[in-house]
Structures are given as structure tokens and as C-alpha cells.
Amino acid sequence: MQQFTHEDLDDDILTDLLEEINELYEASEQTLIELEIKPTDKELQRALFRSIHTIKGDLGLVNFTPMIPLLQHVEDLLDYLRKGQIEYTSNMSDLVLLSMDRVKIFVESCIQNGKAEYDASLFNLLILQISKISPTNGAEHEKILSEAVLLLDPSLDVRAFANTESAENHRPPPSNLATTGIPKHLTEQKRGDILFFRELMKPIEKRSSYWLGRGDRIAKLAAYVNKVAGMPIDEDQLAVACYMHDFGMAFMPIEILHKNGRMTEAEFNLMRSHVYKSARLLEHLDHWNEARKIVMQHHERMDGSGYPLGLKEVDICDGAKLLGILDTFNAITHTRAHTAQAVHPKKRAVIEINRIKDGQFCPKWLGMFNRAMAVLLTK
């Protein structure tokens, strides 16, 4: 490890630097969330580029030189992206976030201690890896990006969690998600309903900036995992449940939705009531009975510790078992107002879900989730 000691700088300058980096970090997180939904959106791509460029410039002004070469190569990567020469991927998102994590830790250490340690050899390897990406080798980009991410955090190798069942019994699933979570080959009535539910959630998601795009994210991933599992869950019912399961959250007091820190028992009980509010919207639509059941049960847990009814194992429907996993995955990969938990790259989130204590999630559906994510994140 090398040690960097910064020049004697005014405390106000350092404080302003950290505040701007934190603001740009949060803005970049939101941009990356939106890029998951709209990966070809040029304005989002340009915004991400500008954030990295600004951070690099700020570090240059105070001569925090060890971080600048890494940020320059991340900026070069995003320059290819904004020019349409390469495609956005989740691995690119992980690389950006992990690189910014390193920058934040470095700057915080400099401010607190007047110095910071950094691994120059690691940064050189990382720079070499990123520099392998060019507009002419698109087929290799995911492999290169995945290896770069693992250099920053080796614990993100999810292959250890992939289902090891033989290829003879399972065809490899397709390695991409649908554009939305709306199934194909629907009747006109069902398509109209699902489109209505999806549109209904858009203004609901705007009630809190932390929710933007979550309906589509969860519905798309649910459809994919269900497909990997051989479609045991009715895809139409699953899609409706994914879009509607947290509708009732929008009618919680905003001060509770945005509360930092632990909730009181009364506040938590109020939050738990959202499943009833969400399910009630579907109670008079008989053809969506299974979706309503999924919505009601998606916070139940295998050991009976969930809510609202404390159901166990076989009493919980498959759709709710799957949605419970995906709801948790979405929560730990995207910012939530009522927790201080950091946003985690997707590979790390998969590992964390597998480390959650026994009894929370259905082993069968956790295995299917692992298998699906191993394909999506290591393709």
C-alpha cells in the first residue's frame, strides 16, 4: 500500500470538496438507476459522464493525484458510451459505483487524517483492464468489465452461488431482460389491465424519488427468474403483483417514508398495513385473484417471521416467495429513504441475500434467483 499526504489546505475547501463529491455520487446513483430502465438515453449518459468529469476536475484542483488516472479511464469509458460507441451494461454501473466508492473513502481519509492509503498496484491493474475496452471489441466488453469489477471487490464473484445442476437437465436461460415486465401473448383485456396498472404506478413512484423505475425493474427480473424456473408461476398474475405490490406505500405519511433511522413500533405497524391497501385494489377483479394473493403474502417469510399473517413455507404461494426475494434485492441495490444502508452493486447484493439467515427465503426460489443472476451478471 502507498500513502498520500495532501498539501496544507483550508478546512472549508476540503469540506466543500467532500460535499460536492457526495452530491455527485448521489446524482450518479440516480442516473444509474434510470439507465437500468433507459440504457440508451443520451441525456442520462451525458449526465453520468459530467459527474465523473467534475469529480476528476475537483480532485485535480486540490492535487489529490492518486485517484485521477482511475477516474480518467472511467471517464474515457463513459465518453465511448455517450458517443454511442459502446453499450451500457449493469457491469459498467458496478464499475462506476465501486470506483466512486474508492474516491469517497480516499477523500474522507484525507480530510479526517491528513493522509490516505491506496493500492497503486491495484489501480494500475484496473486501469490496464479498463483500457482494453474499445469500440471495436464489443463482444469482449462484458468479460472485461466483469473482471474489472472483481479487481475492485473480489467478493462479488457470484458464480459460487450459481445452481450447479447439470446442463443436460436445464437449457441455459437467455441472458437478457425484457424491455418491460409486461408479458407477451396477452388477451386484450389483460394487456389493457397490466398497462393500466403500470401507468398507475408511474405517478405513485414520483411520490418518492427513491422509487423511480422500481415497478419495471422488479417485474422484468421476476419474469426472467420465472422463465429460468420453467414458468411455474402464471406470468400475467406475477406481472400485476410486481407492479401493484407496494401501491399502498404511497398512502403512508411522507415523513415516515423518508424517515432516517429506526421506526417506532407504531410507525412500523403503519408501514406493514400497505399490503392490505395494495391488495384491496385488486379484490373486485376476480381474474387477478392470484396477483392479489401474491401482493398479500410478499412480506411473509418461510419461518413465519413475516407479515401480515405470519404464514410459513407451503402456505406461502410461489409468486410471493419469489417477489419477497426480488423486493429485498431491489431494496439493497437502490437507495431507500428509511435506511442508512449504502447502495450495493448487484453482485454484492446477490451474495448478501444468500447470507441472510436461514428461514427467510425459499431455498428453491433462492436457487432459481442465483441461477438467473449468475447468467445476467457473468454473461
Side-chain angles (χ1 to χ4, degrees):
M1 297 287 284
Q2 284 68 42
Q3 184 170 284
F4 170 79
T5 303
H6 66 75
E7 301 171 3
D8 188 19
L9 297 168
D10 187 85
D11 288 345
D12 289 341
I13 292 176
L14 292 173
T15 300
D16 289 345
L17 171 66
L18 184 59
E19 285 180 358
E20 180 164 35
I21 287 175
N22 283 332
E23 289 174 5
L24 290 168
Y25 185 94
E26 291 174 6
S28 297
E29 286 178 346
Q30 185 60 41
T31 301
L32 289 165
I33 290 170
E34 295 181 39
L35 277 169
E36 292 291 326
I37 307 301
K38 298 178 285 186
T40 60
D41 189 300
K42 292 300 178 186
E43 186 51 44
L44 292 175
Q45 294 172 356
R46 287 191 289 267
L48 188 59
F49 173 87
R50 286 194 298 269
S51 292
I52 298 297
H53 179 75
T54 303
I55 292 173
K56 186 194 74 175
D58 288 345
L59 295 183
L61 289 174
V62 295
N63 290 322
F64 281 18
T65 52
M67 295 291 106
I68 293 176
L70 172 59
L71 287 175
Q72 180 62 59
H73 280 75
V74 173
E75 181 183 314
D76 291 344
L77 182 70
L78 297 177
D79 189 41
Y80 286 146
L81 177 67
R82 68 174 181 154
K83 291 176 179 176
Q85 296 174 312
I86 64 175
E87 294 181 356
Y88 171 85
T89 71
S90 292
N91 274 322
M92 189 181 297
S93 170
D94 287 352
L95 176 63
V96 172
L97 280 177
L98 284 169
S99 298
M100 292 178 73
D101 281 343
R102 293 292 178 126
V103 171
K104 282 183 66 178
I105 292 169
F106 182 88
V107 173
E108 287 170 353
S109 179
C110 283
I111 291 174
Q112 293 170 6
N113 308 314
K115 58 188 177 183
E117 290 188 341
Y118 67 99
D119 191 337
S121 298
L122 172 64
F123 285 178
N124 288 335
L125 284 173
L126 189 58
I127 288 167
L128 180 62
Q129 189 70 14
I130 297 172
S131 66
K132 293 178 183 178
I133 293 177
S134 75
T136 60
N137 63 346
E140 301 173 28
H141 288 178
E142 277 297 83
K143 181 176 183 294
I144 295 170
L145 286 168
S146 179
E147 290 171 352
V149 167
L150 290 177
L151 282 172
L152 281 167
D153 192 340
S155 73
L156 300 185
D157 192 347
V158 301
R159 287 170 294 185
F161 293 107
N163 195 315
T164 56
E165 296 175 63
S166 70
E168 296 177 4
N169 297 328
H170 296 279
R171 293 181 180 180
S175 58
N176 61 304
L177 296 177
T179 305
T180 71
I182 300 174
K184 299 177 181 179
H185 313 302
L186 293 169
T187 65
E188 186 174 345
Q189 179 188 7
K190 283 190 171 183
R191 174 168 290 277
D193 280 355
I194 297 180
L195 287 171
F196 170 69
F197 295 142
R198 181 172 181 257
E199 289 303 309
L200 196 62
M201 283 306 298
K202 288 184 178 179
I204 294 297
E205 289 177 354
K206 290 179 182 177
R207 177 154 164 76
S208 172
S209 59
Y210 301 103
W211 295 346
L212 185 64
R214 70 192 305 270
D216 270 331
R217 279 197 304 273
I218 294 174
K220 289 191 296 183
L221 188 53
Y224 182 76
V225 178
N226 190 34
K227 185 179 292 185
V228 169
M231 304 288 281
I233 305 168
D234 184 293
E235 60 178 343
D236 308 350
Q237 303 288 334
L238 182 60
V240 169
C242 289
Y243 283 116
M244 297 298 290
H245 72 285
D246 276 346
F247 190 97
M249 292 282 278
F251 300 94
M252 299 292 114
I254 200 71
E255 61 269 20
I256 294 180
L257 290 176
H258 286 182
K259 180 175 182 177
N260 288 313
R262 193 176 185 85
M263 292 183 186
T264 66
E265 184 177 354
E267 289 170 337
F268 185 60
N269 286 336
L270 182 58
M271 285 287 283
R272 297 201 308 181
S273 71
H274 80 274
V275 295
Y276 290 110
K277 293 178 172 67
S278 302
R280 199 166 293 137
L281 292 166
L282 300 170
E283 68 181 347
H284 298 302
L285 300 174
D286 291 343
H287 53 293
W288 296 121
N289 274 341
E290 185 62 24
R292 184 171 63 86
K293 186 177 180 181
I294 294 171
V295 170
M296 272 292 294
Q297 297 180 2
H298 77 279
H299 279 291
E300 302 287 0
R301 293 296 179 256
M302 296 291 285
D303 59 3
S305 64
Y307 64 85
L309 301 176
L311 300 179
K312 293 183 178 182
E313 299 182 354
V314 296
D315 294 325
I316 306 170
C317 66
D318 277 343
K321 291 172 181 174
L322 173 58
L323 183 52
I325 294 170
L326 302 186
D327 202 32
T328 303
F329 176 73
N330 184 76
I332 62 178
T333 52
H334 296 84
T335 304
R336 289 196 292 174
H338 58 278
T339 73
Q341 183 174 332
V343 171
H344 293 317
K346 294 173 182 63
K347 293 182 177 69
R348 188 186 303 165
V350 172
I351 292 170
E352 286 196 14
I353 285 176
N354 278 271
R355 288 174 178 166
I356 290 175
K357 68 176 184 176
D358 292 343
Q360 291 288 301
F361 299 129
C362 170
K364 168 193 166 185
W365 282 105
L366 188 57
M368 292 301 171
F369 169 75
N370 290 336
R371 184 166 176 255
M373 295 308 297
V375 174
L376 290 173
L377 299 179
T378 62
K379 62 180 179 178

